[in-house]
Amino acid sequence: MTVESIITFLAGMGLLLYGIKIMGEGLELAAGAKLKSLLEKMTNNKFLAVIVGFVITTLIQSSTATTVMVVGFVNTGIMNLTQAIGVIMGANIGTTTTSILVSLNLGMIAPVAIAIGVTFITFSKKNMLKHIGLALTGFGMLFLGMRLMQEAMAPLQDSVVFKNWILNANSPVLGIIIGAAIAALIHSSAASIGILQALASQGLIPLHFAVFVIYGQNIGTCITALISALGTKTNSKRTAVMHVLFNLFGTLTFLLITFFLPFVSWIESVSDNTMMQLSLVHIIFNVVSTLIMFPFSKVLVKLSCLIVPDRKGSADNDFRMLYVDDLMINTPPFAVAQVSKEVHRMALLARDNFKLAAADLLNASTEHKEDIQHTEEVINYINHTLTPLLVKINALDLSYQDAKYIGRVFHVINDIERIGDHAVNLSEAAESRANENIQFSPEGESELQEMFDTTIKLLDGAIEVFTNQNLDYDKAMELNHLEASIDDMQRDFEQNHIDRLNKHICETRAGMLFINTVTDFERVGDHATNIAWKVSNKPQIAG
């Protein structure tokens, strides 16, 4: 094999790998909204989990990426182990779609696909067409890479060394090791199958040996998930272990099938196309493994719990992201969907803290002081952790809608954090009132209660609007009315308080505390309004 052939082979492999990557990215971006809806359907229905795993992997063209994503979901607590094993099974089936495409040998249309794809990317003004163009370009590059690899290896058909290799290639262990090593190195079972198909199409790997390489590739694809689980919580490690167990059991099952049944002969009788034969082996391996293991999914869960036991004396605390982590940012639509959940969590924490602090102040109590301080620290943690993740997500190839949403989130989490700060101010005021026995007049108590009730109503409405990304005209009018009422209350109540001080109805010590409390309520109302108006559909309101 000449240096030129080696370079051509490596170039073809590079095109294959990159083609699969950008084809998956294009399909993922084109189906972004549907991917989010699939995420919402992750239920305890194991059948649905398998279907979701299959569809997602078909779209992003990587079972490895799907499995890593599942590890991230389990790590953030949005998916349990029962759901995870179903998605993993579906992902293994989904990765067979690439091998089917390759076996069709559509190399003749590769230049056409690239031409159309590049045209869409370059000249189209619609994001959907750009994403379809990206997928078409990747599709064409995949087959162009296959053609280059096949051409580079064609001379080896006459090599005495390779002829001897073919005659002696019958070691199952060696085949499994080679397959596992290739899949682990390139982090893609789909791409590794494609490389194997290119070799087999030139008669360089006999089917009776290639089947063992395929079995090994299904094991090797687990390595990335295992690495991604390092440093994660216990259930995430168990998810990666379940992936390994599933493929190990599948390999053992098919080793027995291959040794004791005429499996290879049957595959050869079905098709004369070598690449189709390998695709059939890959499909049958994953479908049959799923059918066999699906009824025993709970057993896999229990085995993973035995292999990765609970750590004594350790428990997850509040200082963690529940929905977002670094493992998710490689799949933008899912990352954006999870950001929405994390922001909602942060908003509810700030809202509850504000409510508790206001209650303590109105009751002259310090009952919730420690809880409020702890929650404030959690809010700050989320803010400081989420911000750099948003920067990473914002740098990804997002759809127009997702990019705009992430831009809005940068501002919203700042408003949420400031609401948390005002809650702390109120808690400190409550402590001062309790310690110094500061009393408000009945009128003052009533005014503060009225202003709080209006502010919490505005804040609840704002959180609902931003979470749903829907601000219709009626809701906008309602929130604007509430904010205007809060502004009027601040002005009127401050004046009323001054009048009461002049009439000696209210204590002087209560003066500054009352004014500061009214100001905190008004500021919370301002931040709530900012949150509500950070949506995609802001109605036009006169005046």
Side-chain angles (χ1 to χ4, degrees), residues 224-238:
T224 305
L226 284 172
I227 293 172
S228 71
L230 295 175
T232 60
K233 293 191 284 291
T234 302
N235 274 349
S236 300
K237 294 183 176 69
R238 289 169 177 167

Side-chain angles (χ1 to χ4, degrees), residues 344-360:
H344 183 66
R345 173 202 175 198
M346 184 181 178
L348 291 182
L349 288 172
R351 183 259 187 205
D352 292 345
N353 237 23
F354 170 66
K355 187 175 181 179
L356 288 177
D360 276 359

